[in-house]
């Protein structure tokens, strides 16, 4: 099977590759990475590999967080309710729809914030008022800080065997790819001409 993004058809794999838009499984990711030649072809499609990296990093991060007894959405809820983190107006209460709106950029389609909030309520980490507005408790703030402490360890596992200079170079390439593919509104394009 030809690997999507392999313009020459040189990288092949017997693994089934997920359809576009489908969540990739660990086997999909492993198969695609194992099929990558040691000397990667510059004609490989970046979007394919950035998707693999995204899916793999998110899966790994969430697996590591689960080992530590929490989920990524639970951490996000606590962060958005904490006056010491992302909460607006020094810890104003938020509803589930407000939390979903605040997390629009990174929440995944299958993340169920209402269910995650129920778990946090059960642990006493958040409190809900009569109107369904949520606030973080002192125990929730302590849990948020404990969850935050796991981030450097998870990051070090993700960055294992990657030189800092290589990582920064990869980020620069990604930033340039984004800049090259971000459309400039026509009104701005006219000003630039």
């Amino acid at each position: 099977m030809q690997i999507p993004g392999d313009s020459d058809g040189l990288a092949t794999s017997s693994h089934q590759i997920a359809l576009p838009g489908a969540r990739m499984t660990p086997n999909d990711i492993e198969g695609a990475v194992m099929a990558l030649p040691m000397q990667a072809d510059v004609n490989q499609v970046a979007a394919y590999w950035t998707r693999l990296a995204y899916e793999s990093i998110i899966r790994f991060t969430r697996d590591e967080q689960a080992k530590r007894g929490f989920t990524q959405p639970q951490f996000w809820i606590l962060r958005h309710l904490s006056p010491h983190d992302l909460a607006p107006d020094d810890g104003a209460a938020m509803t589930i729809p407000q939390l979903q709106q605040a997390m629009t950029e990174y929440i995944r389609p299958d993340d169920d914030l209402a269910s995650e909030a129920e778990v946090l309520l059960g642990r006493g980490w958040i409190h809900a008022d009569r109107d369904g507005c949520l606030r973080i408790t002192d125990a929730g703030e302590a849990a948020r800080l404990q969850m935050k402490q796991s981030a450097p360890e998870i990051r070090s596992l993700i960055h294992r065997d990657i030189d800092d200079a290589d990582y920064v170079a990869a980020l620069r390439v990604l930033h340039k790819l984004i800049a090259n593919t971000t459309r400039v509104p026509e009104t701005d394009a006219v000003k630039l001409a």
Side-chain angles (χ1 to χ4, degrees):
M1 161 182 244
Q2 183 174 337
I3 301 295
D6 177 25
S7 62
D8 294 351
L10 297 175
T12 59
S13 171
S14 61
H15 289 78
Q16 181 67 30
I17 301 298
L19 297 173
R23 175 146 313 152
M24 299 189 79
T25 68
N27 285 341
D28 296 331
I29 295 166
E30 180 182 357
V33 171
M34 295 306 294
L36 183 63
M38 289 304 287
Q39 298 298 324
D41 181 352
V42 297
N43 294 315
Q44 297 265 339
V45 177
Y48 174 73
W49 294 105
T50 56
R51 177 177 173 219
L52 281 178
Y54 170 79
E55 290 290 341
S56 182
I57 292 167
I58 293 297
R59 179 187 43 81
F60 182 85
T61 300
R62 287 180 173 214
D63 288 349
E64 288 297 314
Q65 289 171 329
K67 289 177 189 176
R68 291 160 175 80
F70 66 96
T71 67
Q72 194 171 48
Q74 290 168 0
F75 184 45
W76 290 337
I77 290 170
L78 293 176
R79 291 193 68 198
H80 279 278
L81 295 176
S82 173
H84 306 292
D85 203 337
L86 299 175
D89 304 322
D90 294 327
M94 296 178 78
T95 63
I96 294 296
Q98 289 170 326
L99 286 165
Q100 287 172 321
Q101 179 64 35
M103 298 178 200
T104 299
E105 293 293 320
Y106 47 85
I107 194 168
R108 294 175 61 91
D110 56 340
D111 288 339
D112 183 351
L113 293 186
S115 294
E116 299 289 358
E118 287 296 324
V119 172
L120 297 176
L121 284 163
R123 292 178 181 173
W125 293 354
I126 60 174
H127 168 76
D129 66 18
R130 288 189 308 252
D131 299 323
C133 291
L134 305 172
R135 289 188 184 277
I136 193 168
T137 64
D138 290 342
E141 183 63 27
R144 181 191 68 82
L145 291 171
Q146 186 175 8
M147 291 174 186
K148 182 180 176 180
Q149 289 176 354
S150 68
E153 181 182 356
I154 294 171
R155 181 191 182 281
S156 72
L157 292 170
I158 293 169
H159 289 240
R160 184 180 53 241
D161 299 328
I162 300 172
D163 182 74
D164 286 346
D166 289 340
Y167 180 75
V168 171
L171 288 181
R172 286 185 178 137
V173 169
L174 290 172
H175 289 180
K176 187 62 177 170
L177 289 170
I178 292 165
N180 289 348
T181 58
T182 301
R183 297 183 193 268
V184 177
E186 286 188 33
T187 55
D188 291 341
V190 172
K191 291 177 191 174
L192 296 174

